Amino acid sequence: MTRSTNNMYKQILTVSTKYHIPMMNRNQTFLCLVLLMLWSTGTYAQTRKDQPVYKDASQPIESRIDDLLSRMTLEEKVMQLNQYTLGRNNNANNVEETVKELSAEIGSLIYFDSSAGLRNTAQRKAMNESRLGIPILFAHDVIHGFRTVYPISLAQACSWNPGLVKQACAVAAQESRMSGTDWTFSPMIDVARDGRWGRVAEGYGEDPYTNAVFGVASVQGYQGDDLSSPTRIAACLKHYVGYGASEAGRDYMYTEISGQTLWDTYMLPYEEGIKAGAATVMSCFNDISGTPGTASHYILTEILKERWQHDGFVVSDWGAIQQLRSQGVAADRKEAAQKAFLAGVEMDMMNECYDNHLATLVEEGTVPMSLVDDAVRRVLRLKFRLGLFENPYTPEIPEEERLLLPENVDIARQLAEESMVLLKNENHTLPLKNVSKIAVIGPMTQEKDHLLGSWYGHGRGRDVESIYEGLEKEFAGTSQLLYAQGCAFDGEDRSGFAEALRTAAEADVLLVCLGEKRAWSGENASRSTLALPAIQEELVEELYALGKPIVLILSSGRPLELCRLEPLSNAILEIWQPGIAGGTPLAGILSGRVNPSGKLSITFPYSTGQIPIYYNHRQSARTNQGKYQDIPSTPLYEFAHGLSYTTYEYGTLTASATTLKRGEKLIVEIPMSNTGAMDGAETVHWFIRDPVSSISRPVKELKHFEKQLIRQGESRTFRFEIDPERDFSFVDATGKRFLEAGEYQVIVKDQVVKVQLVD
Ligand code: NOJ
């Protein structure tokens, strides 16, 4: 201690002893305590004023919401229930204008930018200029990747690898959150059985269980265990419910869905997604047998919130509230607002309904304030869970540190590889061995943009590896590639045919790369036929006349009608819309470096006239009659069809018991050997059939699947533990679950074991 400090201490001590503190009597002590309490309460009040409970991260979320709600005016509450868009580009002038027009109290914005700058500018306005500083929630359609675009969802399901899909969604979440997006409008888990509907690309195919499993995987991938992590985002199950049943595959059309079908087919993925903790749900556009989903109290409140106890919120689809007018259930926007809100839609996406009318509806007494509070509570809950009050801004870091990271591109590549489906392989046409000249022909060969598919996020054509680029790398030094485009995707111009024929004449094998442009599927992209345009089929017909082996490579956002192309082709490989990294996996399959393992998540009809055709249809009255007179009645490629280069020998399917009681479980097993000449990954699909029950059941229903790698010469056992309450039961038209005594069949390929459930 220095001398002077020492002196200072001495001085303090001297001063304190100068004042004599008298002894207090009991009354004085009591008075003192009261004063102390008042003082401390005052100090506490003072602290609370400085640091409201809602801003105190140490408080429980529900207490923070209570506190914030108690401070909000009706207008502030209503603004939390609206979502607008935030610009479409980051041109400096536009940004300034956009942010100037923005309400600082807005609840959510659809964010189109791929970096955080604009978000942070808008967020600063909310944090600094709004009375309570409530952060904005930023959303974007991240459907199959943000910048690292991976295959469309229909293809992902063909991988039968939900673990990999979870990883891909985690990549999408990381890229999104680090680029300013907190919330994705994904997954789409609408069971879809009509390939004419363009949105068939966005879901996981025709089967309810498959949609449920992949929906859950993607929710887990996006959200992880902690939404406040800087690499996770909130998911949104959409479009609740039945959108996939759009009549005749025409988008936005009404849907005719009985209560039984609603529960049998459409609800399961949503129920499972909610159990998995999906933060939000989007209401649908479709009118379900007379009540638009967006105005359905039954669907949105009785089932979602009351029965399933969802504590997140429902956002309308874009314009779905004001469209209640076109659907004929609301006379004007005000009535539409009232109907949607009372039904259970908490957030208005681009309708101009809640912002203009909700406060008036409350003041007039037609919408209860308690419901507004509940809705705002749900929106705030997500903002708190995302940690937006503590971390409203996104660190602005360079693209190369957050997008297209090599390990993430590897995941996209792996998923593309596992989702490609070998549909036909006559006489081992593939893999290509000892081929000196390969002709690569067709409009998809050099394409990049179309491989991205619909809803490609911030994907760029320049990030995509084309089919041709993949082939060049794979076959460099072993085979010579010859290229001719042959024709465009559509139109009538045959002028390229001659060159294609000349090129083909020089080659040993023809790879014909056909398919759909990316805008031919997705939203508002219905087609009357699943057939490719005539010009593409004609190109194959002409090439066929050369008598050379033809391998069709198909890239599409839907199942295709192949009844004319199939007889002309020796092998067919469906690569879907694989995203940025499809070229190498495709080339690997062609060369035999990769053994294909994808299997269809949706039936390929023989022709469009068979639609709707799907594996799990109900049992019918005369199974041998009622066939088409002019075409076959069976599909060209069934659900779960997919070939491999190796052979798998399925052993005998066995069950641990032939009779079981309620509450007991059953194990069914099937051994499998890889008897071919290559390692491979095989997926076993386990179906259940309930031949007689009080409500007619589908001919079979998928209840479990498993994919395992089996090395050449190795054997593995596939196992399914059946819980009858879960796997043998069925729902009625109200969603009530039943389990009836009687016979059940467990089916793997063409093997069946019968089991009796006894009371
Ligand atoms: C309409 C689509 O139906 C929906 O899926 C999408 O999330 C919204 N627009 C927002 O872009």
Side-chain angles (χ1 to χ4, degrees):
M1 223 183 265
T2 62
R3 202 191 186 106
S4 63
T5 329
N6 214 356
N7 284 343
M8 196 174 74
Y9 269 87
K10 262 192 201 153
Q11 205 185 350
I12 291 169
L13 283 171
T14 325
V15 170
S16 43
T17 47
K18 247 184 17 203
Y19 295 94
H20 173 70
I21 303 172
M23 290 289 288
M24 288 185 285
N25 63 31
R26 284 169 69 128
N27 283 346
Q28 284 169 322
T29 311
F30 178 72
L31 186 68
C32 232
L33 279 174
V34 170
L35 284 173
L36 194 67
M37 269 168 65
L38 284 176
W39 174 81
S40 62
T41 321
T43 312
Y44 177 64
Q46 188 68 32
T47 317
R48 234 186 97 184
K49 214 168 121 226
D50 293 348
Q51 165 81 350
V53 171
Y54 79 91
K55 289 196 173 168
D56 181 353
S58 69
Q59 297 290 326
I61 285 182
E62 296 306 314
S63 314
R64 298 177 76 184
I65 299 174
D66 287 338
D67 177 55
L68 182 49
L69 270 174
S70 73
R71 296 166 189 267
M72 293 171 79
T73 64
L74 175 58
E75 285 66 30
E76 284 165 339
K77 289 177 184 173
V78 166
M79 281 315 288
Q80 283 302 307
L81 306 179
N82 284 280
Q83 181 179 63
Y84 302 156
T85 57
L86 181 66
R88 282 220 175 238
N89 63 49
N90 53 9
N91 170 297
N93 298 330
N94 293 351
V95 171
E96 204 176 299
E97 216 31 55
T98 311
V99 176
K100 208 191 295 164
E101 283 165 11
L102 191 72
S103 153
E105 280 82 25
I106 188 71
S108 177
L109 290 169
I110 302 186
Y111 189 56
F112 294 105
D113 213 339
S114 64
S115 57
L118 177 55
R119 171 212 169 94
N120 290 339
T121 311
Q123 193 72 295
R124 254 189 295 281
K125 177 160 174 171
M127 299 310 287
N128 302 336
E129 294 176 30
S130 72
R131 192 175 66 89
L132 294 162
I134 303 177
I136 300 169
L137 178 60
F138 293 83
H140 184 62
D141 283 288
V142 183
I143 307 298
H144 54 114
F146 184 84
R147 176 76 180 271
T148 303
V149 180
Y150 44 89
I152 54 169
S153 306
L154 187 63
Q156 290 169 38
C158 296
S159 73
W160 301 100
N161 189 343
L164 189 54
V165 168
K166 183 172 161 182
Q167 279 182 277
C169 290
V171 170
Q174 172 255 301
E175 290 192 342
S176 304
R177 191 79 190 251
M178 290 175 85
S179 307
T181 289
D182 315 304
W183 175 27
T184 175
F185 302 131
S186 170
M188 186 187 109
I189 46 174
D190 295 319
V191 171
R193 294 166 167 182
D194 189 336
R196 293 171 299 178
W197 189 52
R199 304 201 81 167
V200 73
E202 292 177 50
Y204 304 101
E206 72 188 36
D207 175 61
Y209 177 74
T210 311
N211 273 278
V213 172
F214 283 97
V216 166
S218 88
V219 168
Q220 292 171 340
Y222 291 136
Q223 297 191 171
D225 297 328
D226 176 9
L227 277 174
S228 70
S229 147
T231 58
R232 299 293 184 174
I233 53 176
C236 181
L237 306 177
K238 72 184 189 186
H239 310 80
Y240 185 55
V241 60
Y243 186 27
S246 287
E247 197 170 69
R250 287 170 60 199
D251 211 358
Y252 314 121
M253 290 297 278
Y254 66 87
T255 56
E256 194 57 65
I257 305 176
S258 68
Q260 187 60 43
T261 300
L262 179 71
W263 281 96
D264 265 348
T265 306
Y266 297 102
M267 291 299 246
L268 180 77
Y270 288 94
E271 189 171 0
E272 294 302 314
I274 296 299
K275 277 193 217 152
T280 66
V281 172
M282 186 184 290
S283 77
C284 60
F285 285 131
N286 48 300
D287 172 324
I288 310 162
S289 311
T291 306
T294 296
S296 172
H297 188 263
Y298 171 66
I299 302 273
L300 298 171
T301 297
E302 289 162 49
I303 303 302
L304 181 66
K305 284 159 205 162
E306 292 170 6
R307 200 184 291 181
W308 295 344
Q309 296 286 301
H310 185 232
D311 71 356
F313 67 88
V314 177
V315 61
S316 77
D317 201 342
W318 183 299
I321 300 177
Q322 55 90 8
Q323 283 164 204
L324 294 176
R325 297 172 304 161
S326 348
Q327 288 171 307
V329 297
D332 50 31
R333 279 193 157 84
K334 185 174 171 191
E335 195 182 0
Q338 185 190 356
K339 289 218 157 158
F341 193 72
L342 292 179
V345 177
E346 278 90 17
M347 187 176 280
D348 168 326
M349 182 200 287
M350 300 301 288
N351 292 279
E352 296 179 16
C353 287
Y354 289 4
D355 48 2
N356 291 328
H357 303 290
L358 201 51
T360 315
L361 288 165
V362 173
E363 280 152 9
E364 289 171 358
T366 46
V367 162
M369 191 63 195
S370 58
L371 205 58
V372 174
D373 283 343
D374 179 66
V376 177
R377 173 178 294 278
R378 288 166 180 274
V379 172
L380 294 176
R381 190 177 280 139
L382 180 58
K383 294 187 176 186
F384 280 115
R385 285 181 179 162
L386 283 161
L388 295 181
F389 283 82
E390 286 67 53
N391 296 303
Y393 308 109
T394 306
E396 293 175 40
I397 59 174
E399 257 188 43
E400 58 277 13
E401 287 171 31
R402 63 191 153 88
L403 304 178
L404 292 172
L405 303 179
E407 62 273 25
N408 293 345
V409 175
D410 281 348
I411 292 173
R413 187 172 300 119
Q414 177 74 19
L415 190 48
E417 183 174 300
E418 295 198 28
S419 64
M420 295 178 179
V421 184
L422 183 61
L423 296 173
K424 178 177 180 180
N425 194 17
E426 199 176 72
N427 300 326
H428 305 288
T429 307
L430 293 178
L432 301 174
K433 294 281 174 224
N434 309 318
V435 176
S436 71
K437 286 185 183 172
I438 305 173
V440 198
I441 296 170
M444 197 59 85
T445 311
Q446 305 272 13
E447 260 307 321
K448 290 185 175 243
D449 283 4
H450 295 314
L451 298 184
L452 288 171
S454 62
W455 291 116
Y456 47 88
H458 289 282
R460 314 248 162 104
R462 68 166 192 260
D463 302 335
V464 177
E465 187 187 32
S466 71
I467 294 178
Y468 197 78
E469 287 168 344
L471 293 172
E472 270 183 322
K473 273 198 271 162
E474 189 78 28
F475 290 97
T478 55
S479 310
Q480 186 188 350
L481 299 184
L482 312 170
Y483 166 69
Q485 187 189 350
C487 65
F489 284 95
D490 52 4
E492 293 180 355
D493 184 359
R494 288 170 184 71
S495 59
F497 279 21
E499 193 207 344
L501 286 166
R502 271 197 304 278
T503 308
E506 285 179 47
D508 308 303
V509 63
L510 318 183
L511 300 184
V512 190
C513 307
L514 307 179
E516 297 191 309
K517 292 184 177 181
R518 70 178 177 201
W520 291 2
S521 57
E523 189 181 351
N524 196 16
S526 305
R527 292 180 81 78
S528 71
T529 173
L530 307 190
L532 291 174
I535 188 85
Q536 297 194 42
E537 293 196 353
E538 282 167 29
L539 175 66
V540 182
E541 279 163 21
E542 300 257 338
L543 293 169
Y544 179 73
L546 298 176
K548 310 229 168 180
I550 292 186
V551 178
L552 272 194
I553 314 286
L554 302 170
S555 167
S556 62
R558 53 164 57 76
L560 296 170
E561 170 179 309
L562 299 176
C563 55
R564 286 170 302 283
L565 288 174
E566 191 273 343
L568 309 180
S569 319
N570 302 82
I572 306 179
L573 181 66
E574 173 62 72
I575 67 165
W576 305 107
Q577 287 157 332
I580 58 164
T584 297
L586 157 73
I589 290 176
L590 296 178
S591 74
R593 178 177 50 78
V594 173
N595 190 354
S597 64
K599 290 177 188 267
L600 294 178
S601 58
I602 192 161
T603 301
F604 271 51
Y606 173 83
S607 66
T608 307
Q610 287 185 333
I611 294 173
I613 187 163
Y614 47 94
Y615 86 90
N616 44 354
H617 55 87
R618 269 175 213 290
Q619 312 187 49
S620 53
R622 296 187 178 188
T623 45
N624 288 325
Q625 289 182 300
K627 314 249 184 215
Y628 292 113
Q629 295 184 333
D630 53 339
I631 56 166
S633 291
T634 48
L636 190 60
Y637 300 119
E638 288 182 345
F639 175 81
H641 169 78
L643 305 172
S644 164
Y645 292 153
T646 191
T647 45
Y648 300 108
E649 201 175 286
Y650 281 61
T652 306
L653 176 63
T654 55
S656 58
T658 48
T659 307
L660 76 160
K661 294 198 194 108
R662 286 169 197 274
E664 289 178 348
K665 293 203 173 137
L666 176 74
I667 294 183
V668 279
E669 287 183 351
I670 190 157
M672 164 116 48
S673 307
N674 181 342
T675 50
M678 224 180 151
D679 296 348
E682 174 69 335
T683 302
V684 169
H685 294 88
W686 299 85
F687 298 93
I688 297 288
R689 176 173 152 89
D690 180 358
V692 182
S693 58
S694 51
I695 296 172
S696 69
R697 307 296 311 143
V699 289
K700 59 178 187 174
E701 295 168 84
L702 185 68
K703 294 290 178 178
H704 181 61
F705 60 85
E706 190 190 352
K707 185 174 193 175
Q708 289 195 43
L709 175 68
I710 315 180
R711 304 242 176 244
Q712 183 189 351
E714 259 183 22
S715 298
R716 296 260 166 168
T717 297
F718 288 73
R719 196 168 283 117
F720 174 23
E721 188 185 47
I722 295 179
D723 174 356
E725 296 289 339
R726 182 193 61 202
D727 304 311
F728 289 166
S729 63
F730 58 89
V731 278
D732 70 4
T734 68
K736 191 166 167 220
R737 209 155 259 288
F738 292 87
L739 178 62
E740 293 181 344
E743 179 185 312
Y744 292 88
Q745 301 175 356
V746 183
I747 305 170
V748 172
K749 289 212 177 226
D750 50 2
Q751 296 192 54
V752 180
V753 283
K754 294 181 183 174
V755 181
Q756 288 289 332
L757 181 76
V758 293
D759 278 325

